[in-house]
Amino acid sequence: MELQHFVAKLHVDGALGLDPAKVVDVFHQWVANQTVPGVVLIDVAELLHVPNGPGVVAVGVEADYALDHTDGIWGVLSRRKNILAGSNADRVSEALASAARVSLRLQEAFPALKLSHTSFELIINDRAVAPNTAATYAVAAPAIEAALRDILGHGDFKLMRHDAEPRKRFGVTVTTVKPFELAAMAAR
Amino acid sequence: MKASHALWKERLKGQIPEQLGAEVDQFETEIGLRQQNKIEDKVFAETRLRRGAYGQRYDNGQRYDGKESRRLPFADRPTKGPGTMWDAPGMLRIKVPFGGLNPQQLEVMAELAEEYSDGIAHVTTRQDFQLHFIHIENGPSLMRRLAAVGITTREACGNAVRNVTACPYAGVCSDEAFDVSPYAHALAWFLMGHPDTMEFGRKFKPAFSGCGQNACGLTQMHDIGYVAAVREENGKLVRGFKIVVGGGLGPVPRQARTLTEFAPVEEMLPLTQAVCRVFGKHGEKKNRNAARIKFLVDKWGIEKFREEVFAVRQELRPDPRWTEMLKDAEKMAEGPLKPAGAFPAINGDEKLRAWIKGNVKDQRQAGYVTAAVTLPLGDITADQLRSLADIVAKYTRGTIRTTVEQNFLIRWVSKSDVAALHADLAAVDLASPGASSVVDVTACPGTDTCKLGISSSRGLGGELRNRLHQKSYQLDEAIKSLHIKVSGCFNSCGCHHVADIGFYGVSRTVNGYKVPHFQIVLGGQWDNNAGSYGLPIIAVPSKRAPDAVDIITEYYVKNRLKDEKFYAFVKRVGKGPIRDLLEPLNQNLPTYDKEPGLYSDWGDPRLYSIGDIGIGECAGEVVTRYQFEIGSAERLVFEAGLHLDAGNAQLGGETAYRAFLQAAKGIVQVQYDDVSNDPDEIIAEFKERFFDTQLFFDPFVGPKFANFLFAAHAGRGEKFDADTAHHRIAEAQLFIEAVHNCYNKLRSTPAPPAAK
Ligand code: SF4
């Protein structure tokens, strides 16, 4: 089973600590400067009027980035849209690295933005490729674990599968015992 | 493209109606051919539009970043249409005939929003759904997944029959003659791909209403409208429709005219087919700006149009579907899931009380109610859609409607379930009160995603919604019932013409910068199926538009007569005093240095621009004479409206012509100081300098606005009635906007200060 279209969301630690509407301006600058290598950024979607929604999104051709508020949880999100080569574990690493890089860039603009160093989510944004089933978990978990061991340098983490509701996308929340460094994650 | 593309194709085999499946396969082939450059981009553009795949802002590869217009670094691939980059995401419009949906369809919509878009599904002012940021190569997968649950995007855009809309209360309303839903359903599927609809020069929008007096169906503003009526014939009650044609909003709005006072239901499909054949055969094809059916009805007059339609009707080869489709459709009547009940005790629950007051309405069927689910700016998340699907399945037999006010309507709710329903909706943030009230602002996509947007309609809509929500408890009841509608440009997708307070986006040059503005439109009527259209009274800076709402509503509350509706109030006091009250919003506008926020639009911090025009030219010159001339033209067009309101259509039409001349003179003198007041000279100079050179041409509608001027000049001395005067005034207003745009083109935006 080839897993594609990973979404990584790095959780905000505690309160958001910034006015999310201010992110609109920063994302516009990213589009103007085409800040993300390998991704053509096109536009900014401000969706803050929708409760527990996608927040503010920098829309790209190959990937989107967002200050996301789905499920009422703030986080910095990266969503891969095109098909990537490599192994499933490679694609997990790429998703986390790109979310971490975007988070660091956002923190440059908003030093008050504090991200959790012990929890994040991974979702596979394609129901046909990865239905929300135990079979998908059986394939995805080893790939995620392999990628995380590589990124974190240890195996001290837990995967918790999201809601088993079949209508939802497959996803896991990862919690680590030891805090991880965003910079190390971004460097992968 | 998504990795699952082939998987969906395989998985959904056999689950898609044959005809819809073949359509999608064909589109997929065309995508492949276009990628290999084997079909022309123009042909591919029309093909994809007919499949609902529309362009989106920046798909020409250019984007203004607040300092300059830059190229977006899209890969060099064949285009999706002239000047439309392949990799630029677009919008997919999804047809929902009469707004009718079931839980399974809601769930699929949620999946698609999540997997292919930005997580949001958007309900439009035509009861459609729109998904934004869709990659063209994912189109076939989306279409297959929709087709598998009985939904199509076919003919959602392009020169085709658009979504058939209908009153969302159809079947449960006490005012209706009968339930129009089955007929709307039959018409939508009868016309889809019908040979008599293939030759249209422009789009064609049908609408159904269960009665003549209420607003819900808005038949008067449609290309074709059907108003349910029952007649007694030979002692029997016969169902039928009053059919109206040639209505429309857009830049030049028209009220529809009566084709027939009564056609029995069996005649609905054949008569419509005849209308389509006449429109297809005789409607304008070359000039898109005069190609809607309203222009054909104007040109011929309704009598000749009617004569032709009835003659064609007699010649049509009989089609068994004319009656079979009605029989099938009539079986689909909705009913309740639960027994009828009584309202629960509210027990001091103020949120529930407010929600019932604003969103819940009694049905004709005792013991049942409808409940409106208000969506902010028509937006709903994937998670909310899934929850809504569960709620619909829990309380109804699995049916729900979208509305033209960009909301949902749940019907057949037992009164005894109202509190539980409210609690379930509230748990997923879908229980906002104030449906169809002043806080329930409608807005088109505007500059957020629409290529034609001039100002941020959603930005303004959101701002007004927030402000009005915050003070909703203090608002006077008279204000609460107002309708506010915002369009990003004159095309009127936000339906500003039929709002109590309408806005449409325009741009102006202030202190040497372009500044987003909104024209304020008053005098429109939502009631009586959109019974009259408003006219613009003044343009104010976008950031001052909420103040304008405060000023207008305060004035209304203070000066209205007992129970006087806003429409009647505006008619009585006249637009002049209201304009005077708003005038200060345009005076002494601070410079960019003092208030930079005024020079950007709502929700978009970039220095405002209307695109790439004007780059590289000098700006900030003194333009006193131009401003003087154009100011006079604006005053004249406003006065023309006042004359019309006062019942003097002739003077209204003549004054509108003077406004045309004044505006034309304003732009001519930018190049030629010595232009005189002689109308012939103004027209000749305008033609030579701005028309023949195409300087005045609009990027989207070409010579349309200049042609308005020439037509007004050619028709000088003509007799006006209320209708023709209204059109002349509306055209003069559009011409003035075009003069502003042309002037902006001649003057560039000054370089902004260095970014901080
Ligand atoms: S009114 Fe104008 S801006 Fe709004 S959707 Fe229509 S064309 Fe676009």
Side-chain angles (χ1 to χ4, degrees):
Chain A
M1 190 189 264
E2 186 177 289
L3 305 175
Q4 291 282 356
H5 310 302
F6 276 93
V7 176
K9 178 172 171 182
L10 306 186
H11 293 151
V12 165
D13 193 13
L16 181 57
L18 63 108
D19 174 1
K22 294 248 159 50
V23 173
V24 175
D25 195 12
V26 172
F27 280 176
H28 273 294
Q29 288 167 30
W30 290 9
V31 179
N33 301 324
Q34 291 295 317
T35 305
V36 184
V39 172
V40 178
L41 290 176
I42 305 159
D43 201 2
V44 182
E46 196 265 80
L47 299 159
L48 293 166
H49 55 281
V50 186
N52 301 329
V56 185
V57 188
V59 181
V61 174
E62 298 82 0
D64 295 339
Y65 303 99
L67 181 66
D68 180 84
H69 197 219
T70 304
D71 294 329
I73 301 168
W74 285 108
V76 178
L77 176 148
S78 105
R79 173 167 52 223
R80 180 51 59 175
K81 292 156 93 168
N82 60 345
I83 297 172
L84 293 182
S87 67
N88 288 340
D90 291 341
R91 286 184 282 270
V92 173
S93 297
E94 191 282 335
L96 287 168
S98 87
R101 283 194 288 268
V102 167
S103 299
L104 290 170
R105 228 170 248 144
L106 267 178
Q107 284 182 324
E108 280 170 29
F110 304 102
L113 176 65
K114 301 276 181 266
L115 292 172
S116 164
H117 289 241
T118 55
S119 93
F120 54 85
E121 290 171 48
L122 284 162
I123 292 170
I124 304 177
N125 193 24
D126 193 314
R127 285 174 173 80
V129 160
N132 192 9
T133 59
T136 299
Y137 186 79
V139 174
I144 295 170
E145 283 161 1
L148 291 182
R149 268 194 297 275
D150 184 35
I151 292 169
L152 305 174
H154 59 78
D156 222 354
F157 53 79
K158 272 194 205 132
L159 303 192
M160 202 175 71
R161 193 179 147 197
H162 288 174
D163 205 342
E165 225 265 56
R167 295 181 304 175
K168 290 208 162 189
R169 295 173 298 178
F170 173 83
V172 294
T173 293
V174 179
T175 44
T176 66
V177 178
K178 278 189 262 172
F180 57 83
E181 285 305 318
L182 276 182
M185 192 180 263
R188 294 287 148 171
Chain B
M1 193 202 286
K2 282 269 192 184
S4 55
H5 183 78
L7 289 174
W8 283 117
K9 191 169 179 179
E10 193 49 41
R11 184 175 296 182
L12 297 175
K13 246 187 205 154
Q15 293 181 43
I16 301 177
E18 200 180 323
Q19 190 202 345
L20 294 182
E23 273 280 320
V24 183
D25 291 347
Q26 194 185 331
F27 185 43
E28 194 170 26
T29 308
E30 285 160 349
I31 289 175
L33 290 173
R34 179 64 202 134
Q35 281 176 304
Q36 299 162 44
N37 234 331
K38 289 189 177 153
I39 43 175
E40 243 191 285
D41 58 355
K42 265 191 201 164
V43 177
F44 183 71
E46 182 56 22
T47 282
R48 83 176 148 72
L49 285 170
R50 281 183 176 264
R51 266 73 173 217
Y54 212 72
Q56 216 176 291
R57 213 161 171 89
Y58 315 122
D59 66 6
N60 61 357
Q62 292 284 342
R63 189 174 192 275
Y64 183 74
D65 67 9
K67 296 174 194 153
E68 59 182 318
S69 187
R70 297 199 207 189
R71 278 205 74 71
L72 291 167
F74 287 121
D76 192 14
R77 304 173 72 179
T79 54
K80 288 191 285 186
T84 313
M85 303 294 123
W86 187 262
D87 282 332
M91 175 267 278
L92 188 74
R93 186 175 294 145
I94 298 162
K95 270 177 152 177
V96 185
F98 66 92
L101 287 164
N102 62 39
Q104 199 192 3
Q105 292 169 330
L106 292 176
E107 282 171 15
V108 168
M109 216 65 82
E111 291 179 0
L112 302 184
E114 222 160 36
E115 291 179 43
Y116 301 94
S117 179
D118 54 5
I120 292 288
H122 177 75
V123 176
T124 76
T125 54
R126 287 200 58 72
Q127 297 178 296
D128 298 292
F129 268 97
Q130 280 180 190
L131 298 175
H132 293 101
F133 305 112
I134 303 293
H135 198 286
I136 185 77
E137 289 164 32
N138 288 326
S141 292
L142 280 123
M143 291 169 190
R144 287 193 178 103
R145 293 171 76 175
L146 288 165
V149 289
I151 296 181
T152 181
T153 62
R154 183 165 179 190
E155 293 163 12
C157 309
N159 301 330
V161 180
R162 301 296 186 83
N163 194 37
V164 177
T165 58
C167 167
Y169 293 95
V172 297
C173 172
S174 18
D175 292 339
E176 71 185 2
F178 56 85
D179 182 2
V180 296
S181 321
Y183 303 97
H185 178 269
L187 184 81
W189 290 96
F190 176 73
L191 291 182
M192 200 170 294
H194 195 288
D196 281 317
T197 67
M198 293 295 118
E199 298 292 320
F200 291 175
R202 280 292 263 137
K203 58 190 168 186
F204 185 78
K205 297 178 175 176
F208 281 80
S209 183
C211 73
Q213 68 273 30
N214 290 327
C216 328
L218 304 173
T219 45
Q220 279 302 112
M221 57 178 233
H222 279 80
D223 293 289
I224 189 160
Y226 306 83
V227 183
V230 174
R231 260 193 192 175
E232 201 182 317
E233 279 177 11
N234 305 324
K236 268 183 154 181
L237 291 179
V238 178
R239 282 181 172 194
F241 293 101
K242 172 180 176 177
I243 303 181
V244 295
V245 285
L249 295 182
V252 191
R254 293 280 191 282
Q255 286 276 323
R257 277 149 282 184
T258 304
L259 178 74
T260 174
E261 282 294 343
F262 189 84
V265 288
E266 299 74 31
E267 271 301 294
M268 177 192 76
L269 295 178
L271 258 186
T272 307
Q273 187 183 338
V275 169
C276 291
R277 188 171 288 183
V278 170
F279 177 46
K281 195 166 166 201
H282 300 283
E284 172 64 43
K285 300 290 187 309
K286 287 199 186 109
N287 178 5
R288 282 177 64 75
N289 303 313
R292 293 288 289 271
I293 197 170
K294 62 188 173 186
F295 296 105
L296 181 61
V297 177
D298 273 0
K299 191 166 131 193
W300 280 5
I302 187 66
E303 290 77 18
K304 176 173 171 190
F305 185 86
R306 184 184 298 124
E307 221 170 84
E308 184 68 18
V309 166
F310 280 92
V312 168
R313 162 67 190 96
Q314 293 315 313
E315 291 163 9
L316 291 180
R317 180 198 297 255
D319 183 342
R321 296 185 311 154
W322 289 342
T323 47
E324 278 166 14
M325 287 185 90
L326 297 189
K327 276 189 205 127
D328 288 348
E330 281 164 1
K331 287 183 206 142
M332 60 178 259
E334 289 173 25
L337 177 71
K338 309 258 202 99
F343 270 131
I346 287 187
N347 294 334
D349 184 341
E350 285 313 313
K351 284 191 174 158
L352 175 61
R353 186 193 303 279
W355 182 75
I356 290 177
K357 186 170 177 226
N359 296 33
V360 174
K361 262 173 98 165
D362 277 328
Q363 290 192 184
R364 179 175 76 240
Q365 298 83 1
Y368 294 97
V369 290
T370 62
V373 179
T374 48
L375 305 180
L377 305 175
D379 289 347
I380 184 164
T381 67
D383 284 333
Q384 286 177 315
L385 270 170
R386 271 189 291 273
S387 301
L388 190 60
D390 293 340
I391 290 169
V392 169
K394 181 173 170 187
Y395 294 102
T396 78
R397 267 203 228 159
T399 55
I400 187 169
R401 305 271 169 116
T402 53
T403 78
V404 295
E405 292 186 282
Q406 302 180 297
N407 293 326
F408 282 105
L409 191 75
I410 306 177
R411 304 133 50 91
W412 288 105
V413 178
S414 170
K415 277 189 177 174
S416 43
D417 280 341
V418 162
L421 172 67
H422 175 255
D424 285 350
L425 289 170
V428 288
D429 295 303
L430 287 174
S432 272
S436 299
S437 76
V438 71
V439 298
D440 196 10
V441 178
T442 308
C444 77
T447 49
D448 275 16
T449 49
C450 175
K451 285 159 83 167
L452 305 181
I454 295 174
S455 307
S456 176
S457 39
R458 276 166 59 87
L460 175 60
E463 183 65 23
L464 289 173
R465 204 173 169 274
N466 284 344
R467 290 193 192 196
L468 291 162
H469 250 304
Q470 275 163 20
K471 50 185 183 184
S472 62
Y473 286 102
Q474 305 130 276
L475 287 178
D476 190 281
E477 284 302 319
I479 298 178
K480 283 187 184 165
S481 63
L482 298 183
H483 288 90
I484 298 181
K485 300 193 179 288
V486 193
S487 302
C489 77
F490 52 74
N491 279 312
S492 196
C493 304
C495 305
H496 59 258
H497 290 293
V498 292
D500 291 300
I501 304 174
F503 292 94
Y504 71 88
V506 293
S507 80
R508 293 282 184 271
T509 302
V510 176
N511 297 327
Y513 291 82
K514 284 171 204 141
V515 174
H517 277 60
F518 278 96
Q519 275 284 2
I520 298 175
V521 178
L522 297 183
Q525 207 185 2
W526 185 247
D527 291 342
N528 296 321
N529 272 311
S532 63
Y533 300 151
L535 281 172
I537 64 161
I538 191 171
V540 299
S542 185
K543 293 286 175 75
R544 300 275 193 268
D547 299 340
V549 171
D550 289 344
I551 292 169
I552 294 168
T553 50
E554 274 168 32
Y555 183 66
Y556 172 47
V557 169
K558 277 196 193 129
N559 297 286
R560 73 193 278 258
L561 304 175
K562 192 169 177 292
D563 296 333
E564 188 176 33
K565 292 255 193 189
F566 188 74
Y567 165 76
F569 169 77
V570 171
K571 212 165 173 188
R572 178 174 60 80
V573 300
K575 296 183 187 112
I578 303 178
R579 183 191 162 106
D580 292 346
L581 288 171
L582 298 173
E583 195 70 68
L585 297 176
N586 280 334
Q587 284 162 3
N588 304 321
L589 291 177
T591 58
Y592 178 84
D593 295 339
K594 293 227 170 77
E595 195 181 324
L598 187 72
Y599 295 79
S600 60
D601 212 337
W602 292 108
D604 187 344
R606 288 174 293 172
L607 181 70
Y608 176 73
S609 158
I610 51 170
D612 299 336
I613 52 174
I615 284 173
E617 290 176 358
C618 69
E621 295 171 39
V622 177
V623 286
T624 325
R625 191 167 160 207
Y626 165 77
Q627 284 172 333
F628 174 74
E629 302 281 3
I630 200 73
S632 302
E634 286 186 332
R635 178 182 47 75
L636 281 168
V637 80
F638 177 71
E639 284 172 9
L642 294 182
H643 295 316
L644 178 63
D645 284 352
N648 194 340
Q650 186 60 30
L651 190 54
E654 285 166 5
T655 310
Y657 170 58
R658 287 173 54 213
F660 265 115
L661 286 179
Q662 193 77 46
K665 187 179 166 209
I667 197 71
V668 166
Q669 64 79 38
V670 172
Q671 286 196 352
Y672 174 44
D673 275 340
D674 293 330
V675 62
S676 74
N677 284 327
D678 173 16
D680 289 333
E681 184 188 337
I682 293 171
I683 299 296
E685 292 294 340
F686 176 86
K687 185 171 176 307
E688 187 187 324
R689 293 165 189 279
F690 291 94
F691 185 81
D692 296 345
T693 58
Q694 303 198 359
L695 252 183
F696 196 76
F697 282 22
D698 182 274
F700 300 104
V701 297
K704 175 174 184 155
F705 303 124
N707 286 335
F708 287 163
L709 169 73
F710 300 141
H713 186 58
R716 61 195 182 283
E718 72 189 279
K719 291 272 168 276
F720 289 98
D721 59 23
D723 231 22
T724 52
H726 191 110
H727 300 156
R728 185 55 46 85
I729 295 167
E731 287 169 358
Q733 184 68 50
L734 290 167
F735 180 75
I736 291 168
E737 294 308 335
V739 168
H740 276 296
N741 291 340
C742 182
Y743 179 76
N744 285 339
K745 225 186 321 185
L746 300 174
R747 297 278 176 275
S748 67
T749 299
K756 303 219 165 62

